[in-house]
Amino acid sequence: MSGLIQIINGPNLNLLGRRQPEIYGYETLDDVEADCAALAADLDLECAFYQSNYEGALIDCIHQAREKADGIIINPAAYTHTSVAILDALNAFEGPVIEVHISNVHKRESFRHHSYVSLRADGVIAGCGTEGYQYALRRMATLIKA
Ligand code: DQA
């Protein structure tokens, strides 16, 4: 088994580790990417990483994934709660999609309780800290094998 997983992070996640660490922890995005790359190798998967603070750039990345990726793991950050355009882009992707949130969005402000992306996601992981990306990768390995 082998496959390419596109891991996409949305706005402000470039500041991971320095931004509200009481909510998002102290691991940086580079740490998360290194952990994912190591686990992916064990799972016989490959990861491509992308982060942007711009909605259109995230959509372009999802479109490019149509050509090359077997699955998408996405933390759309604040766009989770607002972006029909990201939902539409994900709906045009054929492989499995897993949505990750570092914090437990359901325990937070009510505007974080609704996710457009969940209408498309095959799985949602929230509130497991940055470990959530690892859980998503393991689930992705199962989905791609199936
Ligand atoms: C987040 C939760 C969102 O509500 C927030 O806007 C983020 C990060 C998370 O990973 O917990 O930026 O997606």
Side-chain angles (χ1 to χ4, degrees):
M1 189 229 349
S2 79
L4 177 69
I5 310 305
Q6 179 70 58
I7 300 184
I8 303 175
N9 281 289
N12 302 304
L13 290 169
N14 54 312
L15 296 180
L16 201 59
R18 289 166 289 153
R19 164 203 187 205
Q20 297 182 281
E22 68 288 359
I23 296 176
Y24 299 112
Y26 287 92
E27 262 209 279
T28 66
L29 195 57
D30 281 350
D31 295 333
V32 170
E33 292 183 359
D35 290 348
C36 285
L39 176 61
D42 286 349
L43 296 170
D44 198 17
L45 294 173
E46 211 186 311
C47 291
F49 301 102
Y50 185 74
Q51 187 278 329
S52 178
N53 296 322
Y54 299 93
E55 188 174 17
L58 296 167
I59 291 165
D60 286 345
C61 178
I62 295 166
H63 291 176
Q64 284 155 20
R66 282 163 49 83
E67 310 301 323
K68 61 175 190 188
D70 299 291
I72 292 178
I73 294 172
I74 184 165
N75 182 348
Y79 288 137
T80 307
H81 318 297
T82 62
S83 182
V84 176
I86 288 178
L87 170 63
D88 284 350
L90 289 169
N91 278 331
F93 178 78
E94 285 189 356
V97 173
I98 301 182
E99 176 183 352
V100 172
H101 299 287
I102 298 163
S103 66
N104 181 357
V105 283
H106 301 290
K107 216 176 160 183
R108 300 180 64 192
E109 302 96 323
S110 59
F111 64 83
R112 296 186 203 274
H113 297 177
H114 178 261
S115 164
Y116 284 101
V117 169
S118 292
L119 292 168
R120 166 64 180 88
D122 298 291
V124 181
I125 295 164
C128 298
T130 49
E131 267 178 78
Y133 292 90
Q134 311 266 311
Y135 302 149
L137 257 183
R138 288 188 187 281
R139 178 64 183 156
M140 200 49 99
T142 305
L143 292 174
I144 283 178
K145 246 188 272 173

